[in-house]
Amino acid sequence: MEEVLQLGDEVPEAALDSILEAQRPTQCCVLVYTSGTTGSPKGVMLSQDNITWTARYSSQAGDIQPAEVQQEVVVSYLPLSHIAAQIYDIWTGIQWGALVCFAEPDALKGSLVNTLREVEPTSHMGVPRVWEKIMERILEGAAQAGFLRRKMLLWAMSVTLEQNLNCPGSDLKPFTARLADYLVLAKVRQALGFARCQKSFYGAAPMAAETQRFFLGLDIRLYSGYGLSETSGPHFMSSPYNYRLHSAGRVVPGCRVKLVNEDADGVGEICLWGRTVFMGYLNMEDKTREAIDADGWLHTGDTGRLDADGFLYITGRLKELIITAGGENVPPVPIEEAVKSELPVVSNAMLIGDQRKFLSMLLTLKCALDPDTSEPTDNLTEQAVAFCQGLGSKATTVSEIVGRKDEAVYRAIEEGIQRVNMKAAARPYHIQKWAILDRDFSISGGELGPTMKLKRPAVLDKYRDLVDAFYREHKP
């Protein structure tokens, strides 16, 4: 720090004054490139006003406290090139005087938990995949624990989940819930590094209902933030005082929202307006005009509905919406979540069927990550092995299941998909073909973006031959 301060001594005050005087709220402050999940990355131009306004008011909506009230402590581990980390780690930290602790470079390869234990943040933000990995680690630990400890954890989580579902936000907890927390859950949270954490956030991608309920069972409420790079991050926020399960929260005060082209269920395209909305795309005036209409409304391409209290529920993306050859509009995410919920051995599920006669699906299995590279290995996770053993299968690797077409596992997956089909609204929503891939999705494999968001066009392109075979083999 002394060396940094000495660098400032070399710059004349007059030079600093001229730089400060030249600053304008409408000038571009930072470029954030979109992840390119639906096309080529675009340079999002965010102004000084975009950044400073969002850092102040969106973080207030998330109940982030100024240092004179409470010293917020956060761990920075996501790529700072992404808007979520930019706003949460850098600009909000500067705005409120947060203590920002930088994790090791291999944080996402397994060392993040060690940093969380050491730092004990008061506030933490993770993309859904990070929370899912924490959940899988807890489940694996529970599977290896003794009978009594496993039973104690399941009892404590069921008591706490029931309390949080029936009396959300209530500080008056029954004796059993307080006992469960004291005997079991407080120790689990401490082992995760969340002993002091009052606010746990997620964003950048949809989160499965199963994951949210799991953490509610640990008495960790996950607060959603919804926004885009084009809205400088969060335009909607949840907080301890502004929460509804499965909702993306309410619009940040000072911002506006409207839904266009609503259907009979009140679902329409989400359009946003306010000082969070970006200046435009770098050197892409045509793309900017496509995104922002003449009245300044940003068309997000996401679909959702608003309840009577203004809570937003995301239902999908217009570009992800599958329109079958028969003209049926099918949002893929609810069906994919239903499959993963029915089949705990499944890691990723991607629905296919755009301009096709029926729906099909690509599946990957839960596998252990290489501790050095964080790449998916061939070895199944403890949870996946337990699932297979429960079926009478001795498989411990993905290749054993896929290579030998393990009869017990394939039958169980087919039965799970049939259960999902039985709950579908109509036959066009049924999954008729599916395949298990021999490797889980990853960033390096090109299937996931930098925030673990599924890159559907990339997956379709990579497995085009397999997908085409679904429809060649189909006999009406």
Side-chain angles (χ1 to χ4, degrees):
M1 180 55 73
E2 284 73 19
E3 291 175 14
V4 172
L5 294 174
Q6 285 172 11
L7 289 174
D9 294 337
E10 300 168 12
V11 183
E13 289 292 318
L16 294 173
D17 289 340
S18 64
I19 291 170
L20 288 171
E21 288 168 7
Q23 299 297 305
R24 297 290 180 269
T26 53
Q27 283 178 335
C28 184
C29 171
V30 65
L31 284 173
V32 175
Y33 279 83
T34 61
S35 57
T37 52
T38 57
S40 300
K42 299 182 284 290
V44 173
M45 296 188 292
L46 298 176
S47 68
Q48 306 274 359
D49 186 62
N50 287 148
I51 293 293
T52 54
W53 196 94
T54 304
R56 178 166 185 171
Y57 293 102
S58 294
S59 57
Q60 274 186 343
D63 199 41
I64 300 296
Q65 299 296 317
E68 55 268 27
V69 175
Q70 174 190 299
Q71 178 64 70
E72 294 282 11
V73 181
V74 302
V75 173
S76 176
Y77 67 98
L78 291 171
L80 291 173
S81 55
H82 188 263
I83 189 58
Q86 278 262 332
I87 287 292
Y88 186 78
D89 301 358
I90 300 176
W91 307 115
T92 296
I94 291 171
Q95 172 72 46
W96 301 118
L99 173 61
V100 181
C101 302
F102 286 85
E104 297 292 332
D106 62 349
L108 292 175
K109 297 176 184 177
S111 73
L112 177 60
V113 171
N114 298 332
T115 306
L116 291 171
R117 284 193 200 122
E118 179 185 349
V119 170
E120 291 197 326
T122 60
S123 174
H124 186 66
M125 190 267 291
V127 295
R129 193 61 177 155
V130 168
W131 291 109
E132 286 171 15
K133 288 297 179 187
I134 294 173
M135 177 178 76
E136 288 170 12
R137 177 173 293 189
I138 295 170
L139 290 171
E140 284 184 17
Q144 294 170 357
F147 175 79
L148 186 60
R149 290 181 65 187
R150 187 164 62 250
K151 281 291 183 186
M152 284 286 286
L153 176 63
L154 293 174
W155 165 76
M157 289 184 67
S158 65
V159 166
T160 306
L161 176 61
E162 184 179 2
Q163 165 70 17
N164 283 329
L165 289 177
N166 294 335
C167 305
S170 173
D171 292 328
L172 298 172
K173 294 184 178 180
F175 174 74
T176 50
R178 284 183 279 126
L179 184 66
D181 199 74
Y182 175 75
L183 292 177
V184 183
L185 302 182
K187 295 171 185 174
V188 174
R189 293 195 299 273
Q190 186 169 21
L192 294 173
F194 294 141
R196 294 195 302 153
C197 196
Q198 301 160 341
K199 299 172 287 285
S200 299
F201 298 101
Y202 74 92
M207 177 176 280
E210 173 197 8
T211 310
Q212 293 188 51
R213 290 171 67 91
F214 179 87
F215 282 99
L216 270 183
L218 294 176
D219 210 20
I220 297 175
R221 190 181 287 177
L222 299 181
Y223 301 114
S224 175
Y226 169 73
L228 304 85
S229 301
E230 291 87 344
T231 59
S232 318
H235 197 92
F236 277 76
M237 282 299 302
S238 294
S239 75
Y241 310 105
N242 187 24
Y243 171 79
R244 198 157 286 175
L245 187 61
H246 308 315
S247 153
R250 287 201 278 202
V251 71
V252 171
C255 298
R256 293 169 63 190
V257 60
K258 69 176 180 180
L259 302 179
V260 298
N261 301 321
E262 289 183 65
D263 63 16
D265 298 319
V267 174
E269 184 185 6
I270 302 164
C271 296
L272 308 175
W273 183 95
R275 283 168 69 178
T276 61
V277 175
F278 74 138
M279 301 170 65
Y281 296 115
L282 181 66
N283 299 327
M284 291 184 174
E285 288 187 28
D286 55 335
K287 294 290 184 185
T288 302
R289 283 194 295 271
E290 286 177 22
I292 304 176
D293 65 25
D295 296 321
W297 287 90
L298 172 68
H299 292 246
T300 65
D302 291 326
T303 58
R305 62 180 177 83
L306 291 161
D307 70 12
D309 297 317
F311 284 90
L312 176 68
Y313 296 82
I314 310 294
T315 57
R317 275 193 64 77
L318 287 174
K319 289 184 180 178
E320 288 180 353
L321 193 68
I322 291 171
I323 303 176
T324 66
E328 293 285 343
N329 288 6
V330 182
V333 174
I335 298 175
E336 292 163 352
E337 280 196 15
V339 168
K340 289 195 285 185
S341 179
E342 283 286 347
L343 297 164
V345 73
V346 171
S347 175
N348 282 286
M350 188 178 118
L351 195 68
I352 295 159
D354 203 46
Q355 303 302 312
R356 304 280 195 171
K357 291 181 179 178
F358 61 89
L359 300 179
S360 60
M361 182 171 274
L362 297 177
L363 304 169
T364 68
L365 303 181
K366 288 180 179 173
C367 57
L369 299 181
D370 185 300
D372 297 321
T373 64
S374 202
E375 292 293 302
T377 67
D378 190 39
N379 298 319
L380 295 171
T381 62
E382 293 281 348
Q383 186 188 8
V385 170
F387 177 86
C388 295
Q389 288 174 345
L391 303 171
S393 168
K394 296 179 181 178
T396 59
T397 64
V398 177
S399 55
E400 284 180 271
I401 293 173
V402 178
R404 301 174 190 172
K405 291 240 178 195
D406 188 297
E407 186 179 344
V409 176
Y410 272 71
R411 183 170 60 248
I413 290 176
E414 176 60 29
E415 289 171 355
I417 285 177
Q418 289 308 320
R419 288 194 296 273
V420 172
N421 285 344
M422 285 173 66
K423 298 172 188 172
R427 183 160 179 79
Y429 291 77
H430 286 193
I431 304 160
Q432 295 193 33
K433 293 265 186 175
W434 55 271
I436 306 173
L437 303 177
D438 54 13
R439 189 176 186 272
D440 198 3
F441 295 158
S442 65
I443 295 173
S444 60
E447 302 97 344
L448 302 177
T451 57
M452 310 282 193
K453 197 183 295 182
L454 184 60
K455 299 174 73 171
R456 294 177 187 272
V459 175
L460 275 175
D461 188 56
K462 186 170 183 176
Y463 297 102
R464 184 168 301 282
D465 292 345
L466 177 57
V467 172
D468 288 345
F470 285 154
Y471 298 94
R472 281 200 303 273
E473 295 168 7
H474 183 69
K475 291 181 175 56

